[in-house]
Amino acid sequence: MTNNASLDAIVQNSIAEALGLDTEEVVPDATLLGDLDAESIDLLDILFRIERASGVKVKMADLTEVIQGGISDEDFADEDDVITAVGLAQLKKVLPQIDTDALAGKLVADEVLTLFTVQNLTDMVSERAGSTLAAA
C-alpha cells in the first residue's frame, strides 16, 4: 500500500527522471509544460514511470477527462476554441490555482494543459490510488 508522502515522492521523482531535472526543481506549483518544459511525449513517459513505481495507472485520456469533467466539447469551449464560463468553472475545480477572471475570454482549449502543475498531477495520482484501493 502506497501512502500520500510516497506518492508525492514517486510523482516528483518520475517527473525529474523523465525531464532530466533535479528533484528540487520539481516543486508543487511548477507547471509541467511551462515551468518544467515538458512536451506531450514527456507526459507519456512521466505517466509510465508513475505507473511502474506506484502501480497507479493514469493515461493521457484520463488527464483530459478530469480536466473537462464530463462537460461536452460544445459546452467546454466555444466555436473559436475559447474556454466558456462553464469550462472555466470546471477548470477551477480541478486546477484551483488558476485565476479564472484573468483567463475569461482568453484561454483556448489547446493551452489548458499548460496550466497543469506538479501538484495537480500528484492530486490526480493520489485520487486514482485511493479509488484503486477502495475498489480492491
Side-chain angles (χ1 to χ4, degrees):
M1 186 151 116
T2 309
N3 64 30
N4 283 348
S6 64
L7 277 178
D8 291 353
I10 287 169
V11 172
Q12 183 184 33
N13 290 333
S14 296
I15 293 168
E17 289 171 8
L19 301 178
L21 301 170
D22 291 329
T23 54
E24 297 80 32
E25 295 176 84
V26 184
V27 295
D29 63 344
T31 59
L32 295 170
L33 299 180
D35 298 332
L36 301 180
D37 292 327
E39 296 180 8
S40 297
I41 193 77
D42 296 322
L43 291 178
L44 292 172
D45 186 18
I46 291 165
L47 296 176
F48 173 74
R49 289 171 187 267
I50 289 169
E51 180 182 357
R52 193 171 60 209
S54 70
V56 178
K57 186 173 181 83
V58 178
K59 299 179 290 197
M60 282 295 288
D62 297 335
L63 293 178
T64 55
E65 184 179 308
V66 166
I67 288 171
Q68 200 160 329
I71 298 170
S72 70
D73 291 344
E74 296 78 25
D75 290 335
F76 192 75
D78 65 18
E79 62 276 353
D80 296 322
D81 227 16
V82 175
I83 303 301
T84 63
V86 171
L88 282 174
Q90 168 59 25
L91 288 176
K92 186 67 175 175
K93 290 179 196 173
V94 293
L95 307 174
Q97 74 277 6
I98 67 171
D99 180 350
T100 53
D101 292 336
L103 296 171
K106 299 176 192 166
L107 180 63
V108 294
D110 287 347
E111 295 173 356
V112 169
L113 210 49
T114 66
L115 303 172
F116 207 75
T117 65
V118 171
Q119 187 62 55
N120 298 141
L121 181 58
T122 301
D123 292 346
M124 186 176 175
V125 171
S126 294
E127 185 177 307
R128 193 58 55 105
S131 298
T132 303
L133 291 174

